[in-house]
Amino acid sequence: MKFSIPKSQMLVGLQRVQNVVERRTTMPILSNALLKTEGIFLSLSATDLEVGIQSLLPTEGIQESGAITVRARSLLDIVRELPETTIHFQTKENNRLEIRAGKSLFNIVGLPAEDFPEMPTFTSEESQAFVRMNGTAVVAMLDKTLYAASTDEARYHLNGVYFETRDENNHRVFRMVATDAHRLSLVDNAEALFDETAWVLFKDGVIVPRKGLNELRRLLSEGKEDFFVTIKGRMLFVKRENIFLSMRLIEGKYADYRRIIPESALQSVQLDREAFLASLKRISLMSSDKSRSVQLNLTPGMLQLTSQSPELGDAKEEISVDYEGEELKIGFNSRYLIDAVSSIEGEKVLLELKGKQNPGVIRSLHGANHTSVVMPMRI
């Protein structure tokens, strides 16, 4: 294999695959990126066997076709430090890759391309199964849900975001739900999908892994244009321009999230989002590192926030509110509240409470399409 490519192009491709590469693995090949020539393009691929990515990069010329795998982190570090010029790559004997740029010369040890896990391919007929999704809408939905997905491997079926289409009262929406059993975030969007085929694709609901969605989020951050998806077996595939992303769906039944959301609230109060968020951040500074608890005391005309820690001390802050109901004291994990309020759009939020034993619900006053739920703590 022998080809030339601008540093800027190679750097973008390597940064795309870097987060997929498995750093701690008993299979050294999973720490490598696959470099392979395809027509006038260089194909850069990486996988951890659950999430895979392929990026096609335009070259300045391919003199010899071929393929090799090299350690992705080492290659990125080298390319990042090279001068802004064309880089020349050539495979050598014993699975070595020569890299030349200006007066710099590197030879790095690789592994045979044949050892790299097989990446999925599609026939022309299967490629027609891809459906278009609204990139801007999906980014906004991921920003509101991904933070709530579980990182606990023991709760494997919660280690992702649940995608489904809903048809309620003749109003169709695309829904994302994430929960780690301590908090939940649900968001609906009627503009994420464009045609009937797309609605059918998610009709039965699928659990998409957190790592794959983080990669999708990074991919869409390059530009929020539309992208294409399909499901083949237990795999979800994403296609956008010359980038191809695959992720293994999480098997099993998702939690009955509707049971977690209280149907009605006994107490509700409107709050300025920025002021409430700032107060939470200040009060949380004095909460215990272990519990991170903050207490809300709701009384007529006032919401009081307090926290205390034997090691640090205590803190108290008051916010004037339009409330005339009964007094209520309830405790929450401050970080969960901060995450929830941060993800809400708009100047005002609605805090709904139903006794100190029930979850608190946070919604935007600009629409009911986003609901955040936080489980209470003992106080």
Side-chain angles (χ1 to χ4, degrees):
M1 180 174 69
K2 185 178 181 182
F3 66 92
S4 303
I5 187 171
K7 172 188 173 177
S8 57
Q9 287 283 355
M10 193 67 181
L11 193 57
V12 167
L14 287 170
Q15 288 170 335
R16 283 176 185 154
V17 305
Q18 197 61 220
N19 292 297
V20 173
V21 171
E22 191 67 36
R23 291 174 177 81
R24 295 183 296 273
T25 177
T26 57
M27 296 175 62
I29 196 72
L30 297 184
S31 297
N32 286 15
L34 172 66
L35 286 70
K36 183 179 180 181
T37 54
E38 293 190 9
I40 62 171
F41 293 97
L42 168 69
S43 169
L44 263 180
S45 302
T47 182
D48 66 355
L49 301 181
E50 297 294 324
V51 178
I53 187 169
Q54 179 188 27
S55 179
L56 294 178
L57 307 173
T59 66
E60 290 187 352
I62 294 176
Q63 290 80 50
E64 296 176 13
S65 298
I68 192 174
T69 81
V70 293
R71 183 174 288 273
R73 171 54 64 180
S74 299
L75 185 57
L76 174 62
D77 290 342
I78 291 170
V79 170
R80 184 184 282 133
E81 299 303 326
L82 289 175
E84 294 292 338
T85 184
T86 297
I87 307 177
H88 306 280
F89 293 85
Q90 184 174 1
T91 52
K92 297 292 187 177
E93 293 181 353
N94 300 320
N95 295 305
R96 290 180 177 268
L97 180 65
E98 178 186 277
I99 306 170
R100 290 180 177 271
K103 296 182 179 180
S104 300
L105 172 64
F106 291 84
N107 278 286
I108 60 176
V109 178
L111 291 171
E114 296 77 25
D115 295 347
F116 196 78
E118 185 176 353
M119 299 293 285
T121 58
F122 285 86
T123 64
S124 57
E125 183 176 316
E126 288 174 327
S127 295
Q128 295 175 5
F130 280 85
V131 298
R132 188 163 62 99
M133 293 188 72
N134 184 328
T136 301
V138 169
V139 166
M141 295 178 77
L142 289 175
D143 286 345
K144 294 178 175 67
T145 53
L146 261 176
Y147 75 88
S150 176
T151 57
D152 183 357
E153 294 301 324
R155 298 177 181 269
Y156 179 66
H157 63 294
L158 299 181
N159 288 180
V161 178
Y162 185 61
F163 287 14
E164 69 171 345
T165 48
R166 305 278 300 171
D167 191 344
E168 298 176 346
N169 301 321
N170 296 320
H171 180 60
R172 294 202 304 186
V173 294
F174 177 61
R175 175 171 291 178
M176 290 188 191
V177 185
T179 180
D180 60 4
H182 301 290
R183 53 184 172 175
L184 175 146
S185 182
L186 178 154
V187 60
D188 292 335
N189 192 302
E191 300 176 352
L193 305 177
F194 294 106
D195 56 40
E196 189 64 32
T197 306
W199 289 98
V200 172
L201 188 66
F202 298 105
K203 179 172 64 71
D204 296 327
V206 294
I207 310 172
V208 188
R210 186 184 66 255
K211 181 176 179 178
L213 290 175
N214 279 324
E215 294 313 308
L216 175 60
R217 179 66 183 82
R218 291 188 184 95
L219 175 60
L220 295 178
S221 69
E222 296 181 14
K224 298 177 183 178
E225 297 87 357
D226 298 345
F227 62 102
F228 297 84
V229 301
T230 191
I231 295 175
K232 183 180 178 183
R234 295 304 305 168
M235 300 290 291
L236 178 90
F237 298 96
V238 175
K239 183 170 63 173
R240 181 160 178 254
E241 296 176 342
N242 290 324
I243 308 168
F244 191 71
L245 184 65
S246 63
M247 55 194 88
R248 188 176 302 280
L249 296 172
I250 296 175
E251 297 189 37
K253 186 174 178 61
Y254 198 70
D256 186 0
Y257 61 86
R258 297 172 191 83
R259 294 177 54 189
I260 302 173
I261 306 172
E263 293 183 0
S264 60
L266 295 178
Q267 292 97 348
S268 64
V269 58
Q270 294 184 22
L271 296 162
D272 179 275
R273 192 186 77 89
E274 290 296 335
F276 185 38
L277 185 59
S279 292
L280 284 171
K281 289 180 178 179
R282 286 191 291 268
I283 294 300
S284 68
L285 296 175
M286 299 301 285
S287 62
S288 167
D289 288 340
K290 185 176 181 180
S291 69
R292 297 178 180 270
S293 65
V294 59
Q295 178 178 302
L296 306 186
N297 186 11
L298 184 61
T299 58
M302 189 71 65
L303 176 64
Q304 185 182 81
L305 292 77
T306 59
S307 65
Q308 59 181 356
S309 165
E311 300 85 14
L312 300 173
D314 57 75
K316 178 174 69 174
E317 190 162 326
E318 295 178 342
I319 301 175
S320 297
V321 295
D322 182 13
Y323 176 73
E324 298 298 333
E326 296 181 1
E327 181 178 357
L328 171 67
K329 292 183 180 180
I330 187 170
F332 292 106
N333 180 302
S334 59
R335 183 168 63 88
Y336 293 167
L337 273 185
I338 289 171
D339 287 344
V341 176
S342 297
S343 70
I344 297 287
E345 290 183 357
E347 296 180 359
K348 299 284 186 178
V349 297
L350 183 66
L351 174 63
E352 299 180 350
L353 302 170
K354 191 179 181 180
K356 63 181 182 180
Q357 303 297 330
N358 292 294
V361 179
I362 304 170
R363 308 181 197 268
S364 170
L365 285 179
H366 290 266
N369 68 320
H370 182 201
T371 301
S372 289
V373 180
V374 182
M375 301 302 290
M377 299 179 66
R378 281 187 180 174
I379 54 175

